[in-house]
Amino acid sequence: MWGHGPHTPTGGKPPDPLTGVATGKRRKRGEQPVVPDSQFTSYYGKPVINGPVWRSPDIPGYLFLGGLAGASSLLGAGAQATGSDVVAKAAKTGAFGAISLSLVALVNDLGRPARFLNMLRVFKPTSPMNIGSWLLTAYGPLAGASAASAVTGKLPRIGTAATAGAALLGPAVAAYTGALVSDTAVPAWHDGYREMPYVFVGSGATAAGGLGLIAAPDGEATAARNLALFGTTLELGAFKRMEQRLGMVAEPYRRGKGGKYVRAAEVLSLAGAAGAVLGRSNRIVRMLSGAALVAASACTRWGIFHAGKDSADDPKYTVVPQRERLNERS
């Protein structure tokens, strides 16, 4: 896997894998080096792994909209059960609109619809992509029937059944994309496999709660507010836990384009949550806090997307953890 030049300082023994980090023995104070320390890079400056070919805005948009849709279906069912008709209608129509746009973004990235349909030729429980395709196929019509009944007022029994079905599948729709990105070789995604689904579910709940706050009139904001606060707490808590556990591999979440999006998400989440609590009796504050929460969820998905691509491009995030695991085993 690793190449080396025809002349090596070890008498023909190939050097250690080149990782993009400085290596070499420590010198005593005042000791002059015989040769300068090496700053290694990967072979021919190429990444160690093939990075994702997914594009922006299609894939981060697909991740964001899917989470918004799944959590909105849950909010729609809860709002309907508690008599919050305005929030229920907004959540149901928002869920159908979001999942429709999510599918458009996915198909656009795939290149043609036939590639999505080809994934339905088999059922493979070990493949998040395959399971996700089946989930979307089942969830989309349910969300559509639920929204149509809410808007037209017709076929209420069918609408209620569709609402219940969409709410049942909603959490899985919001979570499976977290498993999807973790089921890759991209270090910042794969190494966060324990927390990533919780981050995605929390982010989806944050967006759905924000959408509900935008639409909620006075007296109907409780369900949306509670969902938004739950989502914000889960998302930020799981993200912090993931960063602490990943150590060096979490650096792309604090640097570059991914880091900018993640920091924006944190600020917007906290501002939106504060507005949701403090603006209970102020419609304008509720709407502004809801918009901030929706934007925070979007920034989280864009931040995760770009951080993953950056971690795939830098070989140290692949090789250094491999070395550490080998050292632990030995």
Side-chain angles (χ1 to χ4, degrees):
M1 178 178 179
W2 296 98
H4 56 280
H7 303 290
T8 65
T10 56
K13 181 180 177 181
D16 287 338
L18 310 181
T19 67
V21 294
T23 62
K25 296 181 179 180
R26 293 187 178 183
R27 298 185 299 271
K28 297 180 180 180
R29 186 184 300 274
E31 182 180 353
Q32 297 297 320
V34 178
V35 294
D37 289 338
S38 298
Q39 184 71 23
F40 288 136
T41 58
S42 63
Y43 187 46
Y44 285 133
K46 300 294 184 181
V48 176
I49 63 173
N50 291 326
V53 295
W54 297 337
R55 297 168 296 182
S56 178
D58 289 338
I59 293 305
Y62 155 70
L63 300 177
F64 162 67
L65 291 167
L68 171 60
S72 291
S73 289
L74 199 62
L75 175 62
Q80 177 177 323
T82 57
S84 301
D85 296 334
V86 175
V87 174
K89 181 184 293 187
K92 293 175 186 180
T93 54
F96 179 61
I99 201 62
S100 300
L101 292 174
S102 177
L103 284 170
V104 169
L106 176 60
V107 171
N108 188 57
D109 186 79
L110 291 174
R112 58 179 185 269
R115 291 179 176 172
F116 177 81
L117 297 176
N118 285 337
M119 290 186 283
L120 301 177
R121 297 172 63 183
V122 297
F123 182 76
K124 190 176 181 181
T126 57
S127 169
M129 177 64 78
N130 181 255
I131 293 299
S133 301
W134 283 105
L135 269 175
L136 294 177
T137 302
Y139 170 81
L142 291 173
S146 175
S149 178
V151 171
T152 63
K154 297 180 179 180
L155 303 175
R157 292 185 179 180
I158 293 178
T160 298
T163 296
L168 183 64
L169 295 179
V173 172
Y176 94 89
T177 46
L180 174 65
V181 299
S182 300
D183 192 38
T184 65
V186 176
W189 297 345
H190 174 75
D191 290 4
Y193 70 94
R194 295 179 184 174
E195 297 86 5
M196 197 69 77
Y198 296 99
V199 173
F200 274 52
V201 169
S203 180
T206 298
L211 178 63
L213 288 172
I214 293 173
D218 293 339
E220 289 193 19
T222 301
R225 182 185 303 111
N226 291 341
L227 182 63
L229 294 177
F230 165 78
T232 301
T233 302
L234 178 61
E235 177 186 354
L236 294 179
F239 208 110
K240 288 297 182 184
R241 170 60 182 163
M242 182 176 71
E243 286 184 308
Q244 292 172 359
R245 189 175 61 81
L246 295 188
M248 181 199 69
V249 179
E251 288 177 357
Y253 291 119
R254 290 297 168 191
R255 300 178 180 176
K257 186 180 292 187
K260 293 179 181 179
Y261 276 114
V262 170
R263 288 192 295 274
E266 291 175 347
V267 172
L268 289 168
S269 293
L270 294 174
V277 174
L278 299 176
R280 292 174 182 268
S281 59
N282 190 312
R283 178 74 186 277
I284 295 178
V285 173
R286 284 202 310 271
M287 293 179 67
L288 290 174
S289 65
L293 291 168
V294 174
S297 178
C299 285
T300 295
R301 307 309 175 100
W302 258 264
I304 290 174
F305 176 79
H306 287 291
K309 291 182 72 71
D310 289 345
S311 74
D313 291 338
D314 193 330
K316 75 176 181 181
Y317 298 120
T318 300
V319 177
V320 172
Q322 289 178 347
R323 285 180 168 179
E324 291 177 349
R325 288 191 289 268
L326 289 173
N327 291 335
E328 290 175 359
R329 292 171 186 169
S330 61

